[in-house]
Amino acid sequence: MTFAKIAQKLALWAGSPKTFLGAIVLLALWAASGPFFGFNDTWQLIINTSTTIITFLMVFLIQNTQNRDTDILHLKVDELLRATKEAQNAMLGLESLDLKQLEALRKHYQAMGQGEAKNLEGLEKDSKVDLNQC
């Protein structure tokens, strides 16, 4: 649980405008120091190593954050399904289906939506909403 809290705080910090600006400043300082170091291999190695390490660590941080966000989204949708009387509660267990079963279910719902898509055409004319751009 500690990792999740740290990852969440780091993700918020890493995605902030101040962090982005700080990275730009560091890159500018590194580029400006090039003439002082003669643009040698060590000078290039500093930026290459730094960015490689940061990228490697960010992959795990982003994956952790994505997993958490996906879990939260699933829980919210599950609650909406549970609370809606017309919803099929069988949808709450989709995680246990294999890929072929999910594809069959997707095709079933696409077929159900075919007729409903025609209803949206009238909406586009009435509300000046261009559904092709959505």
Side-chain angles (χ1 to χ4, degrees):
M1 207 54 151
T2 305
F3 175 75
K5 288 181 182 179
I6 292 170
Q8 186 176 4
K9 287 182 181 182
L10 280 174
L12 289 172
W13 173 79
S16 73
K18 289 180 181 180
T19 304
F20 180 75
L21 184 61
I24 296 293
V25 169
L26 285 174
L27 284 173
L29 290 172
W30 170 79
S33 70
F36 178 73
F37 291 104
F39 300 101
N40 64 17
D41 290 343
T42 304
W43 176 78
Q44 291 179 19
L45 187 63
I46 289 170
I47 196 69
N48 289 338
T49 304
S50 301
T51 56
T52 300
I53 291 169
I54 291 169
T55 302
F56 178 76
L57 295 174
M58 288 301 292
V59 166
F60 297 104
L61 181 67
I62 291 168
Q63 187 62 52
N64 177 272
T65 304
Q66 184 66 38
N67 290 345
R68 182 179 183 281
D69 289 347
T70 300
D71 287 343
I72 290 169
L73 184 62
H74 280 259
L75 289 169
K76 288 179 178 183
V77 170
D78 286 351
E79 176 59 17
L80 289 173
L81 284 171
R82 188 198 60 76
T84 305
K85 292 180 182 178
E86 293 84 21
Q88 296 182 26
N89 286 335
M91 294 295 157
L92 295 172
L94 291 179
E95 293 83 12
S96 63
L97 299 180
D98 65 23
L99 196 54
K100 287 183 181 181
Q101 292 170 319
L102 288 173
E103 185 61 32
L105 195 57
R106 184 179 297 116
K107 286 180 182 178
H108 171 73
Y109 276 96
Q110 284 175 341
M112 287 174 58
Q114 290 290 331
E116 297 300 321
K118 293 178 183 175
N119 293 338
L120 293 176
E121 292 173 5
L123 177 67
E124 181 178 343
K125 293 174 187 172
D126 294 342
S127 65
K128 298 181 182 180
V129 174
D130 187 2
L131 297 175
N132 294 325
Q133 292 183 4
C134 292

